[in-house]
Amino acid sequence: MPGPYAPSDARNYVGIGKQTVRATSVAPTAFVPYIDAVDMDHGQAINRIMEAGANGQVTHSEKTGHIPGGGFTFLGRPSITPKLAAFLMGVDSIGAAVSGVTPHTITDDLVTDYLSIEQNAADESVERFKDSVIGELTFNCDRDNPKLRVKGTWLGGILEHKGSTATADSYETEEPWVLSECAFTVDGSGDTEVTGFELTIRVKASQEKISGVHPVHIVKLGFECELSFTRLDLAITNTGYRRVNYGTTGGTTASVNAVTGAFVANFTRGTAATARRFQLNAANIDYDSAVYTPLDPNASEGMKVVYAAQARKAAGASLLEVLGNNTDAAAYVT
């Protein structure tokens, strides 16, 4: 029907479908329960050309690229969260199901998994972007925003306008993960003082055009993984702060090497075989910094320490390992 239209219309959706092959789009099978405004940019690149005899004015334009991309933020749930991690990272090794719950172990490879991203505006404009990829995922939660939030970005799509032909949408009904369901392990030891964290995993990609304006291939070149977390350190002189800045918990001078460690955020719900699980495991990290709350005569909170680190590739290990136990019986990627 004619507008005006509401950005909050219940018919609007962002859906994702896993393509079997490049260049053949599919209808979405997973729908993103986005909580903020959705980003979408058609990514048109135009060169303006000025020629002699035109008094310094544009005489021609040439289109050099049309590479859409976008992003969305949603609350992390047991199914959609590891699914998007698998789409980005590339490997999903599943174990035997027990009582209907299947374990997924997600690691990285350099094989591109192409997706169709579909965006629907009020059943009036349905756009599908085939040959897209998930480029980045950021996971975060803290004591002020205890529900796990996931920000995803996608890139590289080739346009297919579907007119008003919408796909029937549906959303995961399980509850989002919350901070109280998360157990942290820092540098190999259980840690009950972490008040929040943020972890970003991104793929480095080359979007390869040939003669047209769309990329024909998206080549995965590698991954980057960054981490920050905050602790209410109860013994600031002999815990992580001193180790990161002085090399050891008893150090008195700066270390000449980056201090190494590990970080695990393990969300669990339920017990025994039927438990749901979502785990982020950065088994090898190099710390960049540890900074405590600035000294302040008019302070409004207790002192905390914010740690920043980068995941490091170790032989035989994935840069990041994502684990998900849920009712999805099939592997997300093969």
Side-chain angles (χ1 to χ4, degrees), residues 47-76:
N47 282 344
R48 310 299 183 189
I49 300 172
M50 293 181 289
E51 297 175 294
N55 287 334
Q57 297 169 79
V58 171
T59 59
H60 290 281
S61 295
E62 60 180 357
K63 187 172 179 178
T64 60
H66 197 151
I67 308 176
F72 40 71
T73 301
F74 61 94
L75 299 179

Side-chain angles (χ1 to χ4, degrees), residues 141-163:
C141 68
D142 57 47
R143 62 183 190 176
D144 296 320
N145 297 280
K147 292 187 186 299
L148 178 65
R149 285 162 168 76
V150 186
K151 180 175 176 59
T153 61
W154 61 272
L155 54 89
I158 298 175
L159 287 73
E160 289 185 352
H161 203 288
K162 299 296 182 180

